[in-house]
Amino acid sequence: MTMLKEIGAELVAMFLGDARLSLTVLCVVAGAAALIRFADVDPLAAGGLLLVGCLVVLIESVRRSPRL
Amino acid sequence: MAPEDGDRLADLRGFTRDVMRQMEEDLGTRLDWVAGMMAFKGVVLEGLEVAFIVIAVGAGRGLLVPASLGALAACALVLLVGAVVHRPLSRVPENTLKFGVGVMLSAFGVFWTGEGLGVAWPGQDLALLPFAGLFLGAGFLGSLIARRPSMEIVQ
């Protein structure tokens, strides 16, 4: 059972190395989708926001990570 | 083992083999098995990613068979290239490889996510190049930030 739990945890860790980063990126994607779907924003503008948002999230994630 | 012990080692290769042999005895297993598990884990992850991409690209447009054939051809090509260049590739530092793969995956991820949301990227597939450039720049900026000593250490 312990081994199964470890395998399960490994499988999750393969996709979710950093849960906070994954969640923030999902929020950026959801925000871009909501802008297109509900706010009638030009898809290209929302795409630009998606790109900039991902870049900002990436840099912020590095800035927040502990230094060695 | 410390750098100052280096002068006591007549043969680094022989010493490394002895250490590995000792590790096998201590772990009670062959290291081939451990290496096999690590390789399996990596291949499963990449294989799942390919499966997701093939389904995402092919299923919505009724192109599942051509997309699957393309994935199989890419698999064969990667195996062939890997067999030919595995020695020089093994000399590339692991973190450099991860950095490069991260840049490419991020660029593809934003590109495809945008397409999924209905964004018509200017230049179509060529938009991937500036995306990769931006993520490369962000990666370098991130590495600069990560190298800076934290405020606690400075103080």
Side-chain angles (χ1 to χ4, degrees):
Chain A
M1 196 65 190
T2 311
M3 193 177 174
L4 281 178
K5 273 185 187 170
E6 281 178 14
I7 291 172
E10 277 286 312
L11 276 174
V12 171
M14 279 162 49
F15 292 94
L16 280 179
D18 181 341
R20 189 167 168 169
L21 173 66
S22 308
L23 196 63
T24 321
V25 170
L26 274 179
C27 287
V28 171
V29 173
L35 283 175
I36 295 170
R37 179 76 175 79
F38 302 114
D40 222 12
V41 171
D42 177 34
L44 190 56
L49 279 175
L50 171 72
L51 175 63
V52 172
C54 287
L55 288 166
V56 170
V57 165
L58 175 65
I59 292 171
E60 174 56 21
S61 168
V62 174
R63 204 185 61 77
R64 205 171 8 89
S65 62
R67 315 269 160 75
L68 293 177
Chain B
M1 181 73 190
E4 49 268 24
D5 297 328
D7 60 335
R8 293 195 284 125
L9 295 177
D11 176 19
L12 181 61
R13 182 173 295 184
F15 175 76
T16 308
R17 284 186 177 146
D18 288 343
V19 171
M20 291 296 118
R21 203 171 298 123
Q22 187 62 50
M23 278 175 66
E24 285 182 359
E25 283 177 23
D26 292 346
L27 291 171
T29 180
R30 295 290 310 276
L31 285 180
D32 289 354
W33 189 83
V34 178
M37 283 303 290
M38 289 301 292
F40 176 74
K41 188 180 145 185
V43 170
V44 164
L45 178 61
E46 301 310 321
L48 276 175
E49 282 179 13
V50 170
F52 285 140
I53 291 169
V54 165
I55 291 169
V57 170
R61 302 169 190 173
L63 299 170
L64 205 51
V65 173
S68 303
L69 288 175
L72 275 176
C75 178
L77 183 65
V78 168
L79 279 173
L80 186 67
V81 172
V84 173
V85 298
H86 71 281
R87 280 194 186 281
L89 264 185
S90 66
R91 286 198 289 272
V92 178
E94 187 186 346
N95 281 343
T96 307
L97 269 181
K98 286 180 179 173
F99 191 91
V101 171
V103 165
M104 286 193 293
L105 285 181
S106 302
F108 275 104
V110 168
F111 181 81
W112 280 333
T113 304
E115 284 208 321
L117 294 176
V119 178
W121 297 112
Q124 295 180 336
D125 290 356
L126 283 177
L128 280 166
L129 295 175
F131 285 9
L134 283 170
F135 277 104
L136 185 66
F140 281 130
L141 179 62
S143 69
L144 279 177
I145 293 170
R147 277 185 196 153
R148 263 194 352 215
S150 64
M151 291 307 287
E152 293 85 26
I153 295 172
V154 171
Q155 286 164 2

